[in-house]
Amino acid sequence: DHHQKMDTTPPSRTLQPNCDVPSMNLDGNGGEKSRSPLAIQTTKVSLLTDDELGSFNLSSANFEDPFSVNIDELEDGYSAQQIFSESQRTMGYTFDDLIVLPAHINFGVDDVILETRVTKRIKLSVPFVSSPMDTVTEEAMAIAMALEGGFGFIHCKSSIEVQAARVKAVKSYQNGFIARPACLRKDQLISDLDLLGVSGVPITENGKIGSKLIGLVEKKDVDFTEDRSLPLSSVLTDVSNITTCLHPCTLSEANKTLMDAKANYLCVVDEQGNLMALTTRIDLIKNRDFPASTSTDNGRLLLVGAAVKLSQHAFSRSDENGRERSSSLSPYSTRSPTSPKFSFEHFKKMDKLSLDGSKSPKQIKRKDNETNDEKNGNEEEEEEEEEYQLRSRALVEAGVDVIVVDCLHGDTLEQVKAIEWLKSTFPNLEVVGGNVATASQAKRLLDAGIDG
C-alpha cells in the first residue's frame, strides 16, 4: 500500500557488555523499548537503555586499571635527542617541520633561567639582541634592550660622529659616579642653569670639578622663579644642608648614604671640601627597577654594541615616491658603481674584446685597474680600508663594548683581516662576526680571534 506509513523506528542495537548486565531489550509485549538519550559509555560497555542503566552494577563492570598503563606508551612525538641524533645528521629541518608539544610543568616561572652569552665575556639575562638596522636600533632601542637584560647593536648607516654620539648616549644613561659633572659658579645666572638642561648642578668656587664645594641648585629651586637673571647664590642650598660623603668611597657605600638621607644628590668631597664626584637618586631607581640589566659588573654603565661595514661605498637613488635611499653594493664588491671602473663603456669594451678573442675580461680589468691606480694613486682603496678603522677607533673612544662586522657573507678574506686588525688594535674589545652557516666557516672566524 503506497499510503502505508514509512517505518521511522531506528534499528535495534545489539549490546555486548563485558559485565553482568541483564538483557532487557524487549518489553513484556515483545516490542523494543525506547532508548534513553542520557546513556553512559564505559570502556567495554555499549550504550544502555533506561532499564539497563537502572540495573547496571558498577562494581561488576570490567574497567581497565589506570595504574597499569605504561606511561611510555602515552608519550607523543619525539624528543630532541631523537630528532637531532647522530643518525639524523643528514636531515634538514625548517620552522614548519617541527612543532613543540606542551609538556607537564612542575616548576614556577621564576625557576626558568634564560641566561646566555652574546660573546665570550658578556652575559645576557634574556636571549634577545636587536639588529644593527637603521629602522631598528639607535640609542633609545639600545638602552631599552640593555635595561631588560638583552643587547642592542647600533647601526652604522650614519656618520662616524653620529654613531659615536649614540654610543655615548647609552653609556651615559646610567652614571654611577659622575666623575665630571657639570658645575657652575654662584655668580652665574639661573638662565645659565637652563642652558645646561640638567635637573641639578653643584656650585663650586670656580665652576669646575675639583674646586671647593659651595652648594647645590636643583631644578625644583628655580621652577617658579620668573626672573631668570637672578644669580644662583640667591637660590642655592648651602653645602652644610646637602648630603655629602668623604672621598674615596665605593659606589655601594655612596648609594647607602643616599638612601639613608633620602636625598636626590650625593656630593663626594675630599678632606678639604673639594668636589670629587657626584651620584644621583635616579640611578638607584634604575638599578631597583631593572635588576637584570646588561651592565658592567658594578652595575654602573649599560653595555652596548655597534656595527661597522667593510664596504662603505654606497650611492643614493630615489624610489617611486622621490625619497632618497641608500643602496649598498654586494659584500664582495669594494668599488662604487659611480667609479669609472663601472662605466657602461668599460663593460662594452670588455664584452667586445672578449668576443674577438684578443683579450680576456680579466686582462682588460687588470689593465684598467693599473691605469686607474697610477692616475688616482690607489686613493679609493686606502679610503675604503681607512673608513672602518676610523669608525672603530671613534666607537672604542666613545665606550662601545662590542663591535659587530656587519656583512651579508662572513666567510671572506676581508672579514678575517678586519677581525685580526680589530683584535690586535683593541685587545680588550669584543668582536662579533658573520654571517656564517657552517662549522668550517665559523672555525675560520674563531681562528681569526672572533668572540661571538
Side-chain angles (χ1 to χ4, degrees), residues 204-272:
T204 60
E205 284 187 347
N206 61 2
K208 297 180 181 179
I209 187 74
S211 62
K212 191 174 183 60
L213 179 65
I214 297 176
L216 181 73
V217 176
E218 299 184 49
K219 192 174 183 297
K220 63 179 183 179
D221 299 326
V222 296
D223 276 342
F224 302 102
T225 303
E226 296 182 0
D227 187 1
R228 314 305 284 185
S229 62
L230 292 175
L232 294 175
S233 58
S234 62
V235 293
L236 66 82
T237 302
D238 189 73
V239 65
S240 60
N241 296 322
I242 63 177
T243 306
T244 61
C245 69
L246 188 63
H247 178 81
C249 67
T250 64
L251 184 60
S252 58
E253 293 173 348
N255 289 340
K256 186 179 184 306
T257 303
L258 195 60
M259 287 187 291
D260 294 340
K262 299 181 181 179
N264 292 327
Y265 293 89
L266 174 68
C267 297
V268 182
V269 296
D270 60 13
E271 295 180 352
Q272 288 74 35

Side-chain angles (χ1 to χ4, degrees), residues 377-395:
N378 203 19
E379 294 177 357
E380 185 177 344
E381 295 292 339
E382 293 178 358
E383 291 178 359
E384 177 66 28
E385 182 179 353
E386 186 69 18
E387 200 279 338
Y388 87 87
Q389 294 178 351
L390 289 175
R391 185 177 291 271
S392 300
R393 294 183 188 276
L395 293 173

Side-chain angles (χ1 to χ4, degrees), residues 312-326:
Q312 288 294 332
H313 286 298
F315 61 98
S316 295
R317 62 184 181 185
S318 298
D319 56 16
E320 62 273 13
N321 296 322
R323 297 187 298 264
E324 277 198 349
R325 60 184 182 184
S326 177

Side-chain angles (χ1 to χ4, degrees), residues 299-452:
R300 176 183 173 185
L301 301 175
L302 297 179
L303 302 186
V304 62
V308 298
K309 276 188 178 294
L310 301 184
S311 178
Q312 288 294 332
H313 286 298
F315 61 98
S316 295
R317 62 184 181 185
S318 298
D319 56 16
E320 62 273 13
N321 296 322
R323 297 187 298 264
E324 277 198 349
R325 60 184 182 184
S326 177
S327 178
S328 301
L329 295 176
S330 165
Y332 305 101
S333 174
T334 58
R335 298 182 179 89
S336 168
T338 58
S339 168
K341 302 175 187 178
F342 286 87
S343 63
F344 290 107
E345 291 77 10
H346 172 75
F347 289 115
K348 289 179 181 178
K349 182 180 178 182
M350 290 173 59
D351 293 338
K352 181 179 179 182
L353 292 177
S354 178
L355 292 174
D356 293 342
S358 57
K359 292 185 179 181
S360 67
K362 286 187 177 180
Q363 290 174 325
I364 297 297
K365 187 174 182 180
R366 187 180 301 111
K367 182 177 179 181
D368 289 346
N369 288 344
E370 293 173 356
T371 304
N372 286 321
D373 289 345
E374 293 175 0
K375 182 177 179 180
N376 301 326
N378 203 19
E379 294 177 357
E380 185 177 344
E381 295 292 339
E382 293 178 358
E383 291 178 359
E384 177 66 28
E385 182 179 353
E386 186 69 18
E387 200 279 338
Y388 87 87
Q389 294 178 351
L390 289 175
R391 185 177 291 271
S392 300
R393 294 183 188 276
L395 293 173
V396 171
E397 185 178 354
V400 74
D401 300 287
V402 183
I403 283 183
V404 56
V405 183
D406 190 4
C407 193
L408 294 178
H409 180 59
D411 190 17
T412 61
L413 181 62
E414 288 79 7
Q415 180 155 158
V416 171
K417 290 181 178 180
I419 294 169
E420 292 174 345
W421 180 86
L422 286 168
K423 295 302 293 183
S424 61
T425 308
F426 311 106
N428 297 325
L429 177 68
E430 299 287 279
V431 180
V432 173
N435 294 327
V436 292
T438 65
S440 59
Q441 292 176 331
K443 186 178 184 302
R444 272 188 284 272
L445 298 185
L446 288 171
D447 293 340
I450 209 75
D451 298 298

Side-chain angles (χ1 to χ4, degrees), residues 24-46:
M24 303 180 67
N25 288 333
L26 301 177
D27 58 13
N29 299 324
E32 182 179 4
K33 295 181 71 65
S34 62
R35 295 184 178 274
S36 170
L38 300 176
I40 65 170
Q41 183 177 8
T42 66
T43 306
K44 295 184 178 180
V45 180
S46 302

